[in-house]
Each structure stands twice: as structure tokens, then as C-alpha cells.
Amino acid sequence: MANIRDGIIHRVLYHIGSREFNIYFTPDIPSDTFQFLNAFNLKDTLCIFAATTSKTEIERSEAVYGRRPVYYDESIQVKHEVETAPLTISEARHLTDFLTSREITRQVSDEVFSPVLITDVTPEYSDNNSNPIRIKFTWAYADKTEFLT
């Protein structure tokens, strides 16, 4: 084997039977990290590169009391819409395993993961080789809290 110096490893692909493992080495920091139960009921980690838009929905009833508005039955829900960077087929399969998992958590600090719910999924496929697969999904914290990170 030749000596390689100053090289950058972008991907390592490893096969064990029908299972495929992809390991990426990149100086980029993922935009989000999730853990989920995979098909083997084992914890798996997904580091995702994506653009995320957070949206706040406020619903409330109002009444006028002595010429002043009064609000009641207020509910606030924050949803996070994610659009991935272009994905390879194996990355899309891994993301599909994540999206169909029955237990998903999001990393909110170094050792803390909080349960989330996936509320909407939209895959986009293209025959353009430079931008083949993108997946859009929406998630919210299961307990309706928000973490500032």
C-alpha cells in the first residue's frame, strides 16, 4: 500500500452481508444530531446536514372585557421544517430508517437528548445527477417544550 500524506477521507463504505455502513470524515459540523431505534432495535445516530426553518403557531380565543381584549385557551406550537442537503441512495435509506423509527430523540446539549415527533415527510427525487435526492420533514418536541441551543 502506498503512503498517502495530507489526504482527506470523505467517505468509508463497509459491507457486512446485506448491511452497508457509511462513515464520513469532514471538517463540516452537522446542522443537527438525532438518535433513533433502528430496524434491529438498537440506538443509531443521524448527523444531518440540512437547512432548518422554525415556525411558531399560536391559536387563542379572545373576548372584549371593558373595552380591553382578553385572550384565553391559548396554545403555542413550534414546528421545525428541515430540508436536507443532496443525499446519496445510502444516505436516503438511512434517513428513511430514521423517519420511520418509533423512538426518535434530538441532541439538545452534550449529553442530553429530548424526544421528538416527526409530523410530515416529503421526498424529492430528480434525474439530475448533481442534485438527486432531497428529503423535507417536519418535527416538534414531543413534550411541546423548546430548547435554546
Side-chain angles (χ1 to χ4, degrees):
M1 181 178 240
N3 290 333
I4 299 173
R5 295 177 188 225
D6 298 327
I8 298 175
I9 298 174
H10 290 285
R11 179 179 181 200
V12 175
L13 177 62
Y14 188 69
H15 291 278
I16 298 178
S18 63
R19 291 291 292 166
E20 178 181 298
F21 297 93
N22 287 292
I23 303 170
Y24 294 87
F25 297 89
T26 175
D28 299 332
I29 298 172
S31 55
D32 230 330
T33 302
F34 296 91
Q35 281 189 344
F36 64 100
L37 282 181
N38 64 18
F40 300 102
N41 236 10
L42 299 171
K43 288 275 187 186
D44 203 341
T45 301
L46 175 72
C47 296
I48 192 166
F49 295 91
T52 302
T53 304
S54 298
K55 295 185 176 182
T56 303
E57 296 175 0
I58 301 171
E59 290 185 28
R60 60 186 175 193
S61 299
E62 59 184 55
V64 177
Y65 177 74
R67 295 186 178 180
R68 299 185 78 198
V70 177
Y71 302 103
Y72 60 96
D73 292 336
E74 185 174 81
S75 70
I76 299 172
Q77 185 173 15
V78 179
K79 292 183 178 181
H80 306 274
E81 295 178 356
V82 178
E83 181 176 354
T84 66
L87 302 169
T88 64
I89 295 293
S90 60
E91 289 171 328
R93 285 186 189 131
H94 190 225
L95 195 64
T96 299
D97 288 345
F98 159 75
L99 293 169
T100 57
S101 176
R102 59 184 170 82
E103 183 180 311
I104 301 172
T105 58
R106 178 180 179 264
Q107 186 173 10
V108 293
S109 66
D110 287 340
E111 300 294 324
V112 178
F113 285 81
S114 183
V116 300
L117 301 172
I118 304 297
T119 58
D120 188 33
V121 178
T122 308
E124 292 182 0
Y125 303 98
S126 171
D127 59 0
N128 179 350
N129 288 336
S130 65
N131 192 11
I133 303 170
R134 286 184 185 268
I135 296 179
K136 295 179 183 178
F137 65 94
T138 303
W139 66 269
Y141 286 106
D143 61 0
K144 301 195 186 309
T145 60
E146 279 301 310
F147 294 91
L148 298 176
T149 56

